[in-house]
Amino acid sequence: MSISVRPLTPVFGAQITNVDLTRPLDDSTFADIENAFETHSVLVFPQQALDDASQIAFSSRFGALETTQGHIANNFTVKQVSVISNLDPDGRLMASNDPRLIYRIGQRNWHSDSSFKKVPAKASLLYARVLPPNSNACAQTQFASLRAAYDALPESRKRELEGRAAIHHYAYSRRNDGIQLTNADEDRRFPPVAQAIIRANPVNGRKALYVGSHASHIAGMPEAEGRALLQELLAFATREEWTYMHHWQVGDLVMYDNRAALHRARPYAITEHARILHRTTVAGDGPTVH
Ligand code: SIN
């Protein structure tokens, strides 16, 4: 039986049904899913019953997995599954001034996972385990199509940006109201890196406007000028007409292409309701600039 693919918006995103991701997939079914991923950038698989092992097994079909970087919100552990949670290890809701929660709130900025690494992530897979009540009204994740944004850029802008690189820096994006949220070890592990601003998909050639909150300035441009241009491009890349809001249900697996889509967590009563997502991240194929 073949998978069903239903587009979620006229621009990008698709819901995939008729597949059970807890079972090993035959090559033909996997090829259909991979093709849908390269085409639609964001895939939603509803009603899956995954544990960490099956999430890792499915995610690994797309390539080697990144291990989580140890940071304050995960007790500095390094694993293949990153637990996105507002509960402390004793199962209690974190307080609003808890540094781990402040770290999580950084995920409310539009970003592409691991763009601050020399080899940025290819894909991420988020699986919903625990959600606040009325999850239709809160705690969503929103996605923006960087391909639609690229396509809509004026030709002169496309020419200006082609071949240029932005400098992405973890310490830059993890600053909140003047408070530095990274520590000395993170600053050492994640120095500033250059990323191509225009990226072409290696399978279908579709180009994407690769920006996001980790992008600090533009190589070869005065810092303030580059930062202002990146802010303008980010606002353009996240225009409502090419975004998709995912309203979570427990059991949803959402897979997104970090090369072609930005995402952000939407605000909710984070100190009042538990929300737990498990994330696996497929590593990229190589640097975006040489
Ligand atoms: C993430 O940015 O990895 C998580 C998004 C979310 O919590 O909705």
Side-chain angles (χ1 to χ4, degrees):
M1 208 153 19
S2 55
I3 61 166
S4 300
V5 181
R6 182 179 68 80
L8 290 167
T9 77
V11 177
F12 77 129
Q15 185 188 65
I16 311 291
T17 50
N18 233 10
V19 63
D20 177 0
L21 300 178
T22 62
R23 294 164 184 267
L25 301 177
D26 60 61
D27 288 346
S28 147
T29 305
F30 180 71
D32 289 345
I33 293 175
E34 199 171 32
N35 183 42
F37 166 72
E38 297 291 2
T39 306
H40 298 284
S41 304
V42 176
L43 302 182
V44 176
F45 301 85
Q47 294 182 315
Q48 298 293 329
L50 299 175
D51 56 15
D52 280 349
S54 48
Q55 181 169 346
I56 289 171
F58 175 61
S59 306
S60 303
R61 294 285 297 264
F62 293 89
L65 300 188
E66 286 189 359
T67 47
T68 58
Q69 27 130 1
H71 53 64
I72 189 163
N74 67 12
N75 203 22
F76 299 95
T77 51
V78 176
K79 298 194 193 127
Q80 283 183 315
V81 174
S82 173
V83 177
I84 296 168
S85 167
N86 55 346
L87 301 183
D88 67 21
D90 298 328
R92 283 189 304 255
L93 285 160
M94 293 173 187
S96 58
N97 62 352
D98 190 314
R100 294 167 296 187
L101 208 61
I102 295 168
Y103 179 94
R104 285 273 166 253
I105 288 171
Q107 288 169 326
R108 292 183 183 170
N109 297 322
W110 286 109
H111 63 285
S112 172
D113 291 334
S114 302
S115 78
F116 54 85
K117 294 181 184 169
K118 193 169 164 58
V119 177
K122 174 178 172 180
S124 300
L125 298 93
L126 275 178
Y127 180 63
R129 290 184 167 232
V130 176
L131 294 174
N134 299 323
S135 58
N136 280 340
C138 59
Q140 302 104 336
T141 306
Q142 190 174 23
F143 297 88
S145 171
L146 298 177
R147 289 181 185 165
Y150 174 82
D151 290 348
L153 281 174
E155 289 306 316
S156 57
R157 191 62 110 188
K158 290 180 183 169
R159 280 195 301 275
E160 180 197 350
L161 296 174
E162 191 71 51
R164 292 210 84 126
I167 306 303
H168 292 231
H169 193 192
Y170 193 58
Y172 167 72
S173 56
R174 287 289 182 263
R175 240 172 247 154
N176 198 353
D177 290 337
I179 302 169
Q180 187 63 46
L181 299 173
T182 53
N183 59 33
D185 179 50
E186 289 169 313
D187 293 348
R188 209 171 22 251
R189 280 187 296 140
F190 304 119
V193 294
Q195 303 291 6
I197 298 177
I198 308 297
R199 292 184 69 180
N201 178 286
V203 176
N204 56 32
R206 293 277 317 266
K207 288 187 174 177
L209 177 61
Y210 191 59
V211 289
S213 62
H214 298 306
S216 150
H217 56 282
I218 296 180
M221 206 181 257
E223 198 163 300
E225 194 186 323
R227 187 156 298 165
L229 177 53
L230 285 172
Q231 276 161 8
E232 184 187 321
L233 293 172
L234 183 60
F236 185 77
T238 55
R239 273 161 69 156
E240 182 117 21
E241 58 258 48
W242 41 76
T243 62
Y244 161 69
M245 186 76 82
H246 186 65
H247 299 264
W248 289 99
Q249 300 287 338
V250 170
D252 286 349
L253 179 77
V254 177
M255 170 173 194
Y256 48 91
D257 185 342
N258 283 300
R259 306 163 303 181
L262 294 179
H263 65 285
R264 63 174 177 174
R266 300 308 291 140
Y268 73 103
I270 196 164
T271 54
E272 288 168 33
H273 303 295
R275 178 178 187 265
I276 305 176
L277 305 177
H278 281 201
R279 191 181 98 192
T280 36
T281 309
V282 182
D285 300 327
T288 66
V289 288
H290 298 282

